[in-house]
Amino acid sequence: MRSQKTGLFDKLFILHLFSTTILFLFIIVSYSYIEKNNFNTNLIKKSVLVHDLLEISCVDPIVGTIAYDRAYQVIEAIYRKNQEIVYIEIYDPTAIIIASIGERPGAHLSVEEINLLFNQDSDAAHQTNRNQDQNELITYLKAGDLYLGVVRIEFTKKYLMKQLRGNILYFLGLFIIAIAITSLIFYLFTNKWIVQPIVNVSNIMNSYGQAEMSAIFTNIKKYNKAAAKDEIGIMSTAFERMILSIIKRTEEKEKAEESVRASHERFLTVLNSIDATIYVADMETYEILFMNKYMVESFGRDMTGEICWEVLRGESGQCPGCTNDQLIDENGNPTGVCTWQDKNPIVGKWYMNYDRAIEWTNGKLVKLQIATDITEMKKMEEELIQAYKMESIGTLAGGVAHDFNNILYMIIGNAELALEDISKLHPSHSKLESIKSASFKAAGIVKQLLSFSRKIDQELKPVGIVSTIEDSLDFLRATIPTTIEIQRQLPDKEIIILADSIQINQIFMNLCVNASHAMEKTGGVLEIKVETTVIEKGSKKDFPDLVPGQYAKITMIDTGLGINPGVIDRIFDPYFTTKEIGKGSGMGLAVVHGIVKSHGGVISVYSTPGQGTTFTILFPVFDKKPDIETDGNHEPDQDMDNGMGQDMDHGMNMMGTETILFVDDEESIIDMSVQMLERLGYKVTATTNPREALKLFQSKSNGFDLIITDMTMPQMTGIKLSEKIKEIRPDVPIIICTGHSSLIDEKTAEQLGITAYLMKPVSMSEISKTIRKIMNK
């Protein structure tokens, strides 16, 4: 069997026994020495001196008697010289006091006591009566072997204490030396076995955190090789294992922290590479902990360490729409992503924000926001919304145009029929002409509205812009209050543009009406200025959409209230208006903008609140002469000699004798159209039912020379009716006449084999010309 090694406790126990033994021996030796030199011994020595003096002075060795007369003198001399003696008495063997001096004792020695002392088998010179109470000593006087008497001496307690103190001090000195020696031995061994190992381990532990773990581990291994295999050695070994474990775990915590750091750096690298604004903020203090590169560039500086709602939103407190409460559930766990969008007031851009709670490097949950710039998307969205609005306007305009043009068709037709019935000198003739003219203007507005909503193709022709503006201003002068002065700065030479005169007229009507509204309460000046300007190549800063060339520049300046800067960017939006209910629909400037753009031009606005507004319009100049136009001020039938049925310009006979099948679902249009056609000499069969019309044609297909049909009808459209008629008789000419339809236009009608396409309202002159062109082929 392996012998069990001595443990630290065993060593300490052995050391304790060894030290205790040494101390005990010191005590025994000291006690023995003190015992030999105790108080009684000193008293005996003292009494022996007195005894010897008395024997020399008082005893006659020859005779063997005591000299009584001298005894008193001797003890008196001794008493005087020794102040520590209380009394001295000399007895003879019969207990008779021979001499005495000092204080009398409490009792004298009796014969029995003296005889008892004489009979003791001991050295008479050293016999002691250890009377602790009286501190006395008794010695014998003798001559040779003959006992002659007894000397009784008592010493003072002061003398006793003096002797005792000396002995005690001596004993204490020896005891202190013994303790010092044992303590030194104990110190040397405990220092070697306990203190020094603990100090070494403590030094190693104190160096923890100040040195590399590997160095600490090397030191502890070196110590363990030299350390005894006792409890301290075992503790050191355990400490070695603990250090090894700490080193391992520390290293793992560090190949882990480094991984986290590397991962964090990769994470930040990824965030910095994303073209989106990304920041991290403390969810309690709102301190910005990180901003990626893109966000720093977007905001112009790094705001890490600042308060998010203050520097990112310009708020004086927590943002009203802060998502922090939505990012963590009631148990403190992340809830996922929170998506929202808004316009940032600092940079003025729209962002789609993605917020979520993540664990930051310190283990704390923070808010991560990734925001993508959707400003352009917002613009596209607004444009799409505007396109939807335009689509809805177009849908609405199409429906209105169909019904409104039918109404205008009846007004114009009946006005023309009335004009046929009365003389030009009749008072009502001019009124009917005004009705007819206004109806054609209204028809032009409907046409312009359809053009604006892209429901019809524009017919652009060379137009003199100066004369068009003059005509518009002459017309508007009667409607604009006289408190508003109109100033014209128009060139003498005409400026030709490629345009639709009705739409150009609509531009100036809208702008002038708006200007008059802005000045109606205070009056003012409306100034219209027309000139030419040249857009040079590379000088398109103000008008980037324009191609270089010569432009007609129209400037309209009013001295009205001006436009609020907060809404000036929205004045061309459909439905937007700042006017009172009943004074504006929000479509006027939207229409103007649409017309200008469709003519290849641009329009801009500048306004100062309280000082007025300036509109500037540019149209590309056209280098051809203007066509002779038919507009609201020059009706088609004015080219026809009234009552003559003759086209004055072309010498065409406008009358006819053919048979016409007329189809329209409006009874009033049927009545008016039949009267018009019959006055032109035609035979007319009319019906409001397209199915009935088809049956009539089937019954006598060769009995009709021409078909005139509406497009939008119940049961059957004009196209469908035309197809079925063409199946019966392909050569029959067909005219489709419609207020508006999204299913057909002039080009589509031609592709479908329709002979002619007319937009309501049409004048008697226009329809008669169309019929004659078809029938004269």
Side-chain angles (χ1 to χ4, degrees):
M1 292 179 62
R2 293 178 59 185
S3 59
Q4 186 175 2
K5 296 181 180 178
T6 304
L8 178 62
F9 178 77
D10 298 329
K11 290 180 178 179
L12 291 177
F13 182 72
I14 293 171
L15 180 61
H16 171 69
L17 291 178
F18 178 72
S19 301
T20 304
T21 302
I22 292 177
L23 183 61
F24 181 73
L25 290 175
F26 267 97
I27 292 173
I28 296 298
V29 171
S30 299
Y31 181 78
S32 299
Y33 181 80
I34 291 172
E35 189 68 18
K36 292 179 180 179
N37 297 278
N38 59 11
F39 176 68
N40 289 330
T41 303
N42 290 335
L43 291 181
I44 291 171
K45 287 181 179 179
K46 196 77 171 177
S47 64
V48 168
L49 291 175
V50 175
H51 170 272
D52 292 343
L53 181 60
L54 289 174
E55 281 190 336
I56 293 171
S57 303
C58 301
V59 175
D60 186 351
I62 299 175
V63 179
T65 61
I66 298 173
Y68 294 98
D69 55 340
R70 294 190 59 190
Y72 182 79
Q73 294 177 356
V74 173
I75 62 176
E76 184 180 12
I78 293 172
Y79 181 78
R80 288 177 180 174
K81 290 181 180 180
N82 295 277
Q83 295 181 357
E84 65 273 14
I85 295 175
V86 177
Y87 60 84
I88 301 174
E89 288 183 330
I90 300 175
Y91 294 84
D92 65 7
T94 62
I96 295 172
I97 297 174
I98 299 173
S100 66
I101 192 170
E103 299 178 2
R104 292 180 62 83
H108 297 294
L109 294 176
S110 65
V111 175
E112 291 79 10
E113 289 176 329
I114 290 174
N115 289 333
L116 180 63
L117 291 173
F118 284 155
N119 293 329
Q120 291 181 356
D121 186 16
S122 61
D123 186 358
H126 294 84
Q127 288 300 314
T128 303
N129 178 20
R130 295 182 179 85
N131 191 330
Q132 296 296 330
D133 294 334
Q134 296 181 355
N135 300 319
E136 64 179 17
L137 292 149
I138 300 173
T139 61
Y140 309 129
L141 292 175
K142 65 180 181 177
D145 293 331
L146 180 62
Y147 289 99
L148 299 178
V150 178
V151 178
R152 183 183 182 189
I153 303 171
E154 182 179 354
F155 294 91
T156 63
K157 289 185 178 181
K158 181 177 180 182
Y159 176 72
L160 176 65
M161 294 303 296
K162 178 180 178 182
Q163 293 299 320
L164 185 60
R165 279 197 300 271
N167 291 335
I168 290 173
L169 290 175
Y170 184 77
F171 177 79
L172 287 176
L174 291 177
F175 188 76
I176 289 171
I177 292 172
I179 289 178
I181 292 172
T182 56
S183 297
L184 178 62
I185 294 172
F186 193 83
Y187 168 76
L188 292 175
F189 283 95
T190 54
N191 183 65
K192 179 180 179 182
W193 294 340
I194 300 176
V195 177
Q196 194 58 45
I198 292 176
V199 169
N200 291 338
V201 174
S202 298
N203 290 335
I204 294 172
M205 293 181 70
N206 287 333
S207 65
Y208 176 72
Q210 301 176 5
E212 293 292 333
M213 277 294 176
S214 57
I216 296 174
F217 186 58
T218 301
N219 292 338
I220 195 67
K221 287 186 72 69
K222 288 181 180 178
Y223 168 72
N224 286 345
K225 289 181 180 180
K229 300 303 179 182
D230 51 24
E231 286 84 352
I232 296 296
I234 294 172
M235 182 182 73
S236 179
T237 302
F239 180 68
E240 175 186 342
R241 292 174 181 170
M242 182 186 73
I243 290 294
L244 180 62
S245 177
I246 291 174
I247 290 174
K248 183 178 179 181
R249 292 182 182 181
T250 302
E251 289 175 348
E252 291 175 353
K253 180 181 178 182
E254 288 177 350
K255 294 170 185 176
E257 291 179 349
E258 182 62 28
S259 177
V260 170
R261 282 194 295 269
S263 176
H264 182 65
E265 289 176 1
R266 288 194 298 270
F267 177 62
L268 296 184
T269 300
V270 171
L271 295 186
N272 278 323
S273 66
I274 297 175
D275 289 339
T277 60
I278 303 174
Y279 79 94
V280 175
D282 190 296
M283 298 179 71
E284 295 178 358
T285 65
Y286 302 95
E287 177 187 354
I288 297 175
L289 305 176
F290 168 79
M291 290 176 64
N292 75 332
K293 181 180 178 182
Y294 186 87
M295 188 171 186
V296 172
E297 293 174 351
S298 298
F299 282 80
R301 65 186 183 91
D302 189 348
M303 294 174 280
T304 301
E306 301 184 55
I307 304 302
C308 61
W309 47 257
E310 184 177 25
V311 295
L312 300 182
R313 308 288 303 181
E315 298 284 353
S316 58
Q318 180 182 348
C319 299
C322 183
T323 60
N324 283 2
D325 294 339
Q326 305 174 45
L327 303 181
I328 300 178
D329 61 20
E330 58 185 7
N331 297 319
N333 299 318
T335 56
V337 69
C338 179
T339 306
W340 56 286
Q341 60 174 273
D342 77 333
K343 187 175 184 180
N344 186 281
I346 300 297
V347 296
K349 294 182 178 180
W350 280 88
Y351 290 96
M352 177 65 76
N353 307 295
Y354 302 89
D355 295 353
R356 66 167 61 244
I358 65 168
E359 184 176 333
W360 199 233
T361 53
N362 57 4
K364 189 176 183 180
L365 285 178
V366 297
K367 179 174 79 173
L368 168 69
Q369 182 181 99
I370 301 177
T372 55
D373 187 348
I374 58 170
T375 304
E376 291 301 320
M377 187 184 299
K378 269 292 182 182
K379 290 181 180 178
M380 293 175 62
E381 181 182 326
E382 291 175 358
E383 291 175 359
L384 183 60
I385 291 173
Q386 185 168 347
Y388 286 147
K389 288 182 179 179
M390 293 298 100
E391 185 70 23
S392 65
I393 291 172
T395 303
L396 176 63
V400 170
H402 177 269
D403 294 338
F404 195 60
N405 280 334
N406 279 340
I407 295 171
L408 291 176
Y409 181 32
M410 288 187 289
I411 294 173
I412 292 172
N414 283 296
E416 287 186 320
L417 290 174
L419 287 170
E420 288 286 324
D421 294 338
I422 62 175
S423 169
K424 289 184 178 180
L425 298 178
H426 194 282
S428 297
H429 190 278
S430 61
K431 294 180 176 64
L432 290 171
E433 288 286 357
S434 296
I435 292 172
K436 180 182 174 182
S437 177
S439 298
F440 273 111
K441 287 184 182 293
I445 292 173
V446 174
K447 183 180 179 182
Q448 182 272 326
L449 181 60
L450 291 172
S451 175
F452 172 70
S453 60
R454 295 184 175 89
K455 289 299 178 180
I456 64 171
D457 293 331
Q458 297 181 109
E459 294 184 30
L460 303 183
K461 300 177 181 179
V463 174
I465 190 67
V466 177
S467 59
T468 301
I469 291 175
E470 283 184 325
D471 291 342
S472 298
L473 292 178
D474 289 342
F475 178 78
L476 288 168
R477 177 67 274 184
T479 61
I480 293 177
T482 56
T483 55
I484 298 174
E485 178 185 354
I486 298 178
Q487 296 181 355
R488 311 182 190 190
Q489 296 185 31
L490 306 177
D492 295 333
K493 186 178 179 181
E494 185 63 87
I495 301 174
I496 308 302
I497 65 172
L498 195 62
D500 184 319
S501 60
I502 295 177
Q503 293 184 348
I504 297 299
N505 180 67
Q506 185 67 22
I507 290 175
F508 292 103
M509 286 182 64
N510 278 322
L511 292 179
C512 290
V513 169
N514 282 347
S516 67
H517 287 167
M519 298 183 287
E520 64 181 353
K521 292 183 179 180
T522 59
V525 176
L526 173 60
E527 180 181 357
I528 294 92
K529 182 178 180 181
V530 180
E531 58 188 331
T532 57
T533 187
V534 177
I535 302 296
E536 300 287 350
K537 186 176 182 180
S539 63
K540 302 189 295 178
K541 180 179 179 182
D542 295 330
F543 305 104
D545 295 334
L546 296 184
V547 296
Q550 190 174 28
Y551 286 82
K553 181 179 180 182
I554 301 101
T555 306
M556 300 183 67
I557 307 170
D558 69 64
T559 59
L561 299 175
I563 302 173
N564 189 322
V567 301
I568 196 167
D569 292 336
R570 301 182 58 195
I571 62 172
F572 295 115
D573 292 349
Y575 305 116
F576 178 79
T577 181
T578 58
K579 297 178 182 178
E580 301 173 9
I581 295 177
K583 284 198 172 182
S585 64
M587 289 301 299
L589 290 179
V591 169
V592 168
H593 184 268
I595 294 173
V596 172
K597 293 291 288 184
S598 68
H599 281 71
V602 295
I603 181 170
S604 62
V605 60
Y606 173 80
S607 181
T608 302
Q611 298 183 17
T613 302
T614 300
F615 283 93
T616 302
I617 305 172
L618 295 179
F619 288 119
V621 171
F622 192 64
D623 57 1
K624 292 183 180 180
K625 292 183 178 180
D627 291 344
I628 297 174
E629 297 197 17
T630 300
D631 56 18
N633 296 321
H634 189 70
E635 286 76 27
D637 66 323
Q638 290 179 350
D639 291 330
M640 186 170 124
D641 183 29
N642 189 20
M644 295 288 294
Q646 184 78 17
D647 184 343
M648 303 301 294
D649 291 332
H650 301 92
M652 181 186 295
N653 184 7
M654 306 300 291
M655 304 295 288
T657 59
E658 289 85 358
T659 302
I660 298 174
L661 176 60
F662 192 91
V663 188
D664 197 295
D665 61 329
E666 291 283 345
E667 189 71 41
S668 56
I669 291 178
I670 288 285
D671 293 340
M672 181 268 298
S673 298
V674 169
Q675 292 183 57
M676 288 177 58
L677 293 172
E678 286 180 345
R679 288 197 180 191
L680 291 171
Y682 299 103
K683 300 183 179 91
V684 183
T685 300
T687 178
T688 59
N689 190 323
R691 294 187 184 278
E692 183 180 345
L694 181 59
K695 289 179 180 179
L696 288 172
F697 189 79
Q698 288 174 336
S699 63
K700 48 177 182 178
S701 59
N702 292 323
F704 297 103
D705 301 305
L706 176 67
I707 311 296
I708 300 177
T709 178
D710 188 20
M711 175 60 191
T712 305
M713 298 180 293
Q715 299 179 355
M716 190 181 298
T717 65
I719 293 177
K720 192 67 176 177
L721 176 61
S722 300
E723 290 174 350
K724 291 186 177 295
I725 288 175
K726 287 283 187 181
E727 290 175 359
I728 299 171
R729 181 183 162 192
D731 64 330
V732 65
I734 300 175
I735 298 175
I736 286 186
C737 185
T738 180
H740 170 72
S741 174
S742 59
L743 300 177
I744 193 170
D745 54 23
E746 189 171 4
K747 185 175 181 181
T748 304
E750 183 178 356
Q751 293 173 347
L752 293 174
I754 306 300
T755 311
Y757 174 82
L758 294 177
M759 277 289 295
K760 297 177 183 176
V762 290
S763 64
M764 185 183 297
S765 171
E766 185 177 4
I767 197 169
S768 63
K769 284 182 181 179
T770 304
I771 293 172
R772 292 316 323 147
K773 285 181 181 179
I774 293 173
M775 302 310 298
N776 290 341
K777 285 184 179 180

PDB file of all heavy atoms in Angstrom, residues 404-405 408 412 438-448 502 760-761:
ATOM      1  N   PHE A 404     -74.388  66.613 -73.946  1.00  0.00           N
ATOM      2  CA  PHE A 404     -74.336  68.051 -74.150  1.00  0.00           C
ATOM      3  C   PHE A 404     -74.286  68.404 -75.633  1.00  0.00           C
ATOM      4  O   PHE A 404     -74.919  69.368 -76.091  1.00  0.00           O
ATOM      5  CB  PHE A 404     -73.113  68.620 -73.418  1.00  0.00           C
ATOM      6  CG  PHE A 404     -73.159  70.110 -73.262  1.00  0.00           C
ATOM      7  CD1 PHE A 404     -74.202  70.716 -72.572  1.00  0.00           C
ATOM      8  CD2 PHE A 404     -72.167  70.916 -73.802  1.00  0.00           C
ATOM      9  CE1 PHE A 404     -74.246  72.090 -72.421  1.00  0.00           C
ATOM     10  CE2 PHE A 404     -72.212  72.284 -73.648  1.00  0.00           C
ATOM     11  CZ  PHE A 404     -73.248  72.886 -72.952  1.00  0.00           C
ATOM     12  N   ASN A 405     -73.527  67.607 -76.397  1.00  0.00           N
ATOM     13  CA  ASN A 405     -73.460  67.869 -77.832  1.00  0.00           C
ATOM     14  C   ASN A 405     -74.803  67.605 -78.527  1.00  0.00           C
ATOM     15  O   ASN A 405     -75.155  68.287 -79.510  1.00  0.00           O
ATOM     16  CB  ASN A 405     -72.367  67.020 -78.477  1.00  0.00           C
ATOM     17  CG  ASN A 405     -70.991  67.621 -78.262  1.00  0.00           C
ATOM     18  OD1 ASN A 405     -70.863  68.837 -78.078  1.00  0.00           O
ATOM     19  ND2 ASN A 405     -69.963  66.789 -78.283  1.00  0.00           N
ATOM     20  N   LEU A 408     -76.681  70.721 -77.763  1.00  0.00           N
ATOM     21  CA  LEU A 408     -76.203  71.823 -78.611  1.00  0.00           C
ATOM     22  C   LEU A 408     -76.625  71.608 -80.074  1.00  0.00           C
ATOM     23  O   LEU A 408     -76.922  72.568 -80.795  1.00  0.00           O
ATOM     24  CB  LEU A 408     -74.676  71.919 -78.514  1.00  0.00           C
ATOM     25  CG  LEU A 408     -74.113  72.399 -77.163  1.00  0.00           C
ATOM     26  CD1 LEU A 408     -72.590  72.349 -77.177  1.00  0.00           C
ATOM     27  CD2 LEU A 408     -74.582  73.821 -76.864  1.00  0.00           C
ATOM     28  N   ILE A 412     -78.500  74.433 -82.018  1.00  0.00           N
ATOM     29  CA  ILE A 412     -77.973  75.002 -83.269  1.00  0.00           C
ATOM     30  C   ILE A 412     -78.923  74.713 -84.440  1.00  0.00           C
ATOM     31  O   ILE A 412     -79.232  75.589 -85.264  1.00  0.00           O
ATOM     32  CB  ILE A 412     -76.570  74.430 -83.548  1.00  0.00           C
ATOM     33  CG1 ILE A 412     -75.569  74.956 -82.501  1.00  0.00           C
ATOM     34  CG2 ILE A 412     -76.099  74.808 -84.952  1.00  0.00           C
ATOM     35  CD1 ILE A 412     -74.205  74.301 -82.577  1.00  0.00           C
ATOM     36  N   ALA A 438     -73.059  81.300 -79.606  1.00  0.00           N
ATOM     37  CA  ALA A 438     -72.735  80.828 -78.256  1.00  0.00           C
ATOM     38  C   ALA A 438     -72.733  79.304 -78.196  1.00  0.00           C
ATOM     39  O   ALA A 438     -71.921  78.688 -77.490  1.00  0.00           O
ATOM     40  CB  ALA A 438     -73.722  81.406 -77.256  1.00  0.00           C
ATOM     41  N   SER A 439     -73.647  78.697 -78.965  1.00  0.00           N
ATOM     42  CA  SER A 439     -73.716  77.242 -78.982  1.00  0.00           C
ATOM     43  C   SER A 439     -72.454  76.642 -79.590  1.00  0.00           C
ATOM     44  O   SER A 439     -71.936  75.627 -79.115  1.00  0.00           O
ATOM     45  CB  SER A 439     -74.949  76.780 -79.759  1.00  0.00           C
ATOM     46  OG  SER A 439     -76.125  77.241 -79.128  1.00  0.00           O
ATOM     47  N   PHE A 440     -71.976  77.284 -80.663  1.00  0.00           N
ATOM     48  CA  PHE A 440     -70.730  76.805 -81.260  1.00  0.00           C
ATOM     49  C   PHE A 440     -69.547  76.990 -80.314  1.00  0.00           C
ATOM     50  O   PHE A 440     -68.634  76.162 -80.265  1.00  0.00           O
ATOM     51  CB  PHE A 440     -70.465  77.517 -82.597  1.00  0.00           C
ATOM     52  CG  PHE A 440     -71.127  76.844 -83.760  1.00  0.00           C
ATOM     53  CD1 PHE A 440     -72.181  77.447 -84.424  1.00  0.00           C
ATOM     54  CD2 PHE A 440     -70.697  75.598 -84.191  1.00  0.00           C
ATOM     55  CE1 PHE A 440     -72.798  76.822 -85.493  1.00  0.00           C
ATOM     56  CE2 PHE A 440     -71.316  74.980 -85.269  1.00  0.00           C
ATOM     57  CZ  PHE A 440     -72.370  75.589 -85.927  1.00  0.00           C
ATOM     58  N   LYS A 441     -69.541  78.100 -79.538  1.00  0.00           N
ATOM     59  CA  LYS A 441     -68.474  78.282 -78.535  1.00  0.00           C
ATOM     60  C   LYS A 441     -68.551  77.191 -77.466  1.00  0.00           C
ATOM     61  O   LYS A 441     -67.537  76.648 -77.041  1.00  0.00           O
ATOM     62  CB  LYS A 441     -68.590  79.662 -77.903  1.00  0.00           C
ATOM     63  CG  LYS A 441     -68.172  80.796 -78.808  1.00  0.00           C
ATOM     64  CD  LYS A 441     -68.232  82.112 -78.071  1.00  0.00           C
ATOM     65  CE  LYS A 441     -67.849  83.266 -78.990  1.00  0.00           C
ATOM     66  NZ  LYS A 441     -66.433  83.205 -79.387  1.00  0.00           N
ATOM     67  N   ALA A 442     -69.782  76.903 -77.070  1.00  0.00           N
ATOM     68  CA  ALA A 442     -69.951  75.841 -76.089  1.00  0.00           C
ATOM     69  C   ALA A 442     -69.473  74.503 -76.656  1.00  0.00           C
ATOM     70  O   ALA A 442     -68.840  73.698 -75.952  1.00  0.00           O
ATOM     71  CB  ALA A 442     -71.407  75.740 -75.665  1.00  0.00           C
ATOM     72  N   ALA A 443     -69.784  74.263 -77.928  1.00  0.00           N
ATOM     73  CA  ALA A 443     -69.318  73.044 -78.576  1.00  0.00           C
ATOM     74  C   ALA A 443     -67.792  72.997 -78.595  1.00  0.00           C
ATOM     75  O   ALA A 443     -67.167  71.936 -78.416  1.00  0.00           O
ATOM     76  CB  ALA A 443     -69.878  72.943 -79.989  1.00  0.00           C
ATOM     77  N   GLY A 444     -67.169  74.166 -78.822  1.00  0.00           N
ATOM     78  CA  GLY A 444     -65.708  74.234 -78.804  1.00  0.00           C
ATOM     79  C   GLY A 444     -65.139  73.915 -77.435  1.00  0.00           C
ATOM     80  O   GLY A 444     -64.097  73.260 -77.305  1.00  0.00           O
ATOM     81  N   ILE A 445     -65.831  74.382 -76.381  1.00  0.00           N
ATOM     82  CA  ILE A 445     -65.370  74.092 -75.020  1.00  0.00           C
ATOM     83  C   ILE A 445     -65.458  72.599 -74.738  1.00  0.00           C
ATOM     84  O   ILE A 445     -64.552  72.006 -74.136  1.00  0.00           O
ATOM     85  CB  ILE A 445     -66.199  74.898 -74.000  1.00  0.00           C
ATOM     86  CG1 ILE A 445     -65.890  76.395 -74.150  1.00  0.00           C
ATOM     87  CG2 ILE A 445     -65.898  74.422 -72.577  1.00  0.00           C
ATOM     88  CD1 ILE A 445     -66.783  77.280 -73.311  1.00  0.00           C
ATOM     89  N   VAL A 446     -66.572  71.971 -75.175  1.00  0.00           N
ATOM     90  CA  VAL A 446     -66.706  70.529 -74.984  1.00  0.00           C
ATOM     91  C   VAL A 446     -65.603  69.797 -75.755  1.00  0.00           C
ATOM     92  O   VAL A 446     -64.991  68.841 -75.243  1.00  0.00           O
ATOM     93  CB  VAL A 446     -68.094  70.055 -75.450  1.00  0.00           C
ATOM     94  CG1 VAL A 446     -68.180  68.537 -75.390  1.00  0.00           C
ATOM     95  CG2 VAL A 446     -69.170  70.674 -74.584  1.00  0.00           C
ATOM     96  N   LYS A 447     -65.340  70.257 -76.937  1.00  0.00           N
ATOM     97  CA  LYS A 447     -64.277  69.647 -77.738  1.00  0.00           C
ATOM     98  C   LYS A 447     -62.919  69.786 -77.047  1.00  0.00           C
ATOM     99  O   LYS A 447     -62.111  68.865 -77.025  1.00  0.00           O
ATOM    100  CB  LYS A 447     -64.252  70.303 -79.129  1.00  0.00           C
ATOM    101  CG  LYS A 447     -63.233  69.683 -80.071  1.00  0.00           C
ATOM    102  CD  LYS A 447     -63.271  70.383 -81.422  1.00  0.00           C
ATOM    103  CE  LYS A 447     -62.231  69.780 -82.363  1.00  0.00           C
ATOM    104  NZ  LYS A 447     -62.215  70.475 -83.672  1.00  0.00           N
ATOM    105  N   GLN A 448     -62.717  70.989 -76.484  1.00  0.00           N
ATOM    106  CA  GLN A 448     -61.456  71.230 -75.760  1.00  0.00           C
ATOM    107  C   GLN A 448     -61.346  70.340 -74.517  1.00  0.00           C
ATOM    108  O   GLN A 448     -60.281  69.811 -74.209  1.00  0.00           O
ATOM    109  CB  GLN A 448     -61.390  72.698 -75.363  1.00  0.00           C
ATOM    110  CG  GLN A 448     -60.105  73.094 -74.631  1.00  0.00           C
ATOM    111  CD  GLN A 448     -60.235  72.890 -73.153  1.00  0.00           C
ATOM    112  OE1 GLN A 448     -61.312  73.078 -72.601  1.00  0.00           O
ATOM    113  NE2 GLN A 448     -59.149  72.498 -72.498  1.00  0.00           N
ATOM    114  N   ILE A 502     -59.670  77.261 -80.829  1.00  0.00           N
ATOM    115  CA  ILE A 502     -60.651  77.190 -79.743  1.00  0.00           C
ATOM    116  C   ILE A 502     -59.951  76.970 -78.411  1.00  0.00           C
ATOM    117  O   ILE A 502     -60.282  77.587 -77.393  1.00  0.00           O
ATOM    118  CB  ILE A 502     -61.675  76.080 -80.016  1.00  0.00           C
ATOM    119  CG1 ILE A 502     -62.497  76.425 -81.270  1.00  0.00           C
ATOM    120  CG2 ILE A 502     -62.579  75.872 -78.816  1.00  0.00           C
ATOM    121  CD1 ILE A 502     -63.480  75.345 -81.659  1.00  0.00           C
ATOM    122  N   LYS A 760     -71.267  65.846 -83.357  1.00  0.00           N
ATOM    123  CA  LYS A 760     -72.290  66.801 -82.952  1.00  0.00           C
ATOM    124  C   LYS A 760     -71.661  67.838 -82.038  1.00  0.00           C
ATOM    125  O   LYS A 760     -70.719  67.529 -81.304  1.00  0.00           O
ATOM    126  CB  LYS A 760     -73.422  66.078 -82.210  1.00  0.00           C
ATOM    127  CG  LYS A 760     -74.196  65.054 -83.045  1.00  0.00           C
ATOM    128  CD  LYS A 760     -75.231  64.363 -82.173  1.00  0.00           C
ATOM    129  CE  LYS A 760     -75.978  63.278 -82.929  1.00  0.00           C
ATOM    130  NZ  LYS A 760     -76.929  62.540 -82.074  1.00  0.00           N
ATOM    131  N   PRO A 761     -72.174  69.049 -82.029  1.00  0.00           N
ATOM    132  CA  PRO A 761     -73.263  69.527 -82.892  1.00  0.00           C
ATOM    133  C   PRO A 761     -72.734  69.880 -84.288  1.00  0.00           C
ATOM    134  O   PRO A 761     -71.615  70.357 -84.415  1.00  0.00           O
ATOM    135  CB  PRO A 761     -73.753  70.767 -82.149  1.00  0.00           C
ATOM    136  CG  PRO A 761     -72.533  71.288 -81.474  1.00  0.00           C
ATOM    137  CD  PRO A 761     -71.709  70.101 -81.095  1.00  0.00           C
TER     138      PRO A 761
END
